[in-house]
Amino acid sequence: MRIAWDISHQEFTIEDHYYFSILKRELKRRNIDVFELDKLSDILKEKADVLVINYPEKPFSRGDVDIVQRFLNRGGKVIVLGYYANEDGIAATVNSLTKHFGLVLRADRVYDPINNDGGDEFLIVTSRVLNFNRGVRKVLFPCSASIKILNEKASAIVEAEDTARSNLGGDPILMVMLSFGKGTLILGGTCVFWDNYSIGKYNNKEFSLNLLLGRRSRIIDFFCGKMP
């Protein structure tokens, strides 16, 4: 399995030791090849299973969208991650790609005064992990925006608890997935649930690996007779 980590749109790189060395180490332990992609079109030349777009700061062109669509059509998984409060114009930048699939990152802040880490209402903790949840009971989603679903075929992966709120209103959905062609597009409201601060908390490591490696949900495994 190979994971392409895009840096062509000025994203955070997995080679940043301070933020992502633990995630990189966990993938290396599993013999997963992770490589940087400094030109998005190269994803169509490389033998990659997953494309990660982690906090892009450079908008996507129509040509970029076409490249992502082609990668999805042939069975790839694309994970696009943002951040809260429209920092660095992140909502508009992410949406220059994901709006073409009917997924929108909102320019909001999700907060939870009850279910949080260390009393910080922006460090959201939730047990509502609906997919990629093998071995997962709770995850920490720090500084997350919420997602607006315009495509009825999309479904939630992570929802905040009922105690959470958005400063723009609505029920906060923190991560969603959409089948497109033979592939899957995933949009998350935060890019730091798998950084070095968060990955060791709750079941963030298990969730992060499930997300990248495609491990299915507990519900799907139950109906397939694969529950432990």
Side-chain angles (χ1 to χ4, degrees):
M1 183 176 185
R2 304 188 76 213
I3 297 171
W5 196 285
D6 190 49
I7 59 171
S8 69
H9 290 74
Q10 298 177 357
E11 297 94 338
F12 287 127
T13 170
I14 195 169
E15 297 299 332
D16 188 321
H17 186 84
Y18 184 79
Y19 287 107
F20 297 112
S21 60
I22 297 175
L23 177 61
K24 184 180 177 182
R25 182 186 69 206
E26 291 297 327
L27 291 170
K28 186 176 181 180
R29 284 180 55 199
R30 291 159 176 80
N31 296 314
I32 304 300
D33 181 22
V34 185
F35 63 96
E36 290 186 335
L37 201 67
D38 55 16
K39 187 178 180 181
L40 187 61
S41 59
D42 286 346
I43 192 65
L44 302 177
K45 304 173 185 177
E46 297 280 356
K47 292 182 179 179
D49 304 282
V50 180
L51 170 63
V52 176
I53 299 172
N54 198 63
Y55 198 94
E57 295 188 58
K58 179 181 176 183
F60 293 83
S61 67
R62 181 64 239 195
D64 293 331
V65 176
D66 291 341
I67 289 166
V68 171
Q69 288 178 334
R70 289 171 64 186
F71 181 67
L72 289 166
N73 276 326
R74 73 183 195 189
K77 179 193 294 179
V78 179
I79 302 172
V80 185
L81 302 175
Y83 201 60
Y84 78 163
N86 198 29
E87 292 279 350
D88 297 322
I90 186 66
T93 304
V94 165
N95 293 335
S96 66
L97 172 61
T98 61
K99 69 181 181 182
H100 297 279
F101 300 90
L103 305 177
V104 174
L105 182 71
R106 302 177 75 203
D108 65 346
R109 298 177 177 90
V110 179
Y111 59 97
D112 193 326
I114 305 299
N115 291 286
N116 61 57
D117 187 67
D120 187 331
E121 63 184 8
F122 292 114
L123 302 185
I124 304 157
V125 175
T126 180
S127 62
R128 299 178 69 175
V129 184
L130 309 179
N131 212 321
F132 300 102
N133 57 12
R134 290 184 64 184
V136 176
R137 292 186 179 276
K138 287 186 178 182
V139 292
L140 169 64
F141 258 52
C143 301
S144 185
S146 65
I147 296 161
K148 184 176 182 180
I149 298 175
L150 302 178
N151 188 329
E152 62 183 12
K153 295 181 180 179
S155 59
I157 296 175
V158 180
E159 297 177 346
E161 300 284 357
D162 291 338
T163 50
R165 299 289 184 269
S166 163
N167 67 306
L168 296 183
D171 296 325
I173 299 174
L174 308 181
M175 181 175 282
V176 300
M177 63 187 295
L178 172 70
S179 294
F180 187 92
K182 297 179 181 179
T184 304
L185 174 65
I186 292 170
L187 173 60
T190 179
C191 63
V192 292
F193 65 89
W194 55 12
D195 71 359
N196 284 354
Y197 174 81
S198 300
I199 199 168
K201 290 180 174 283
Y202 305 93
N203 299 119
N204 279 43
K205 181 178 77 173
E206 292 83 357
F207 176 71
S208 298
L209 293 172
N210 288 349
L211 195 68
L212 288 167
L213 306 184
R215 293 168 181 159
R216 297 183 295 184
S217 71
R218 294 190 297 265
I219 294 174
I220 291 173
D221 282 345
F222 176 80
F223 285 107
C224 291
K226 296 182 181 179
M227 280 291 285

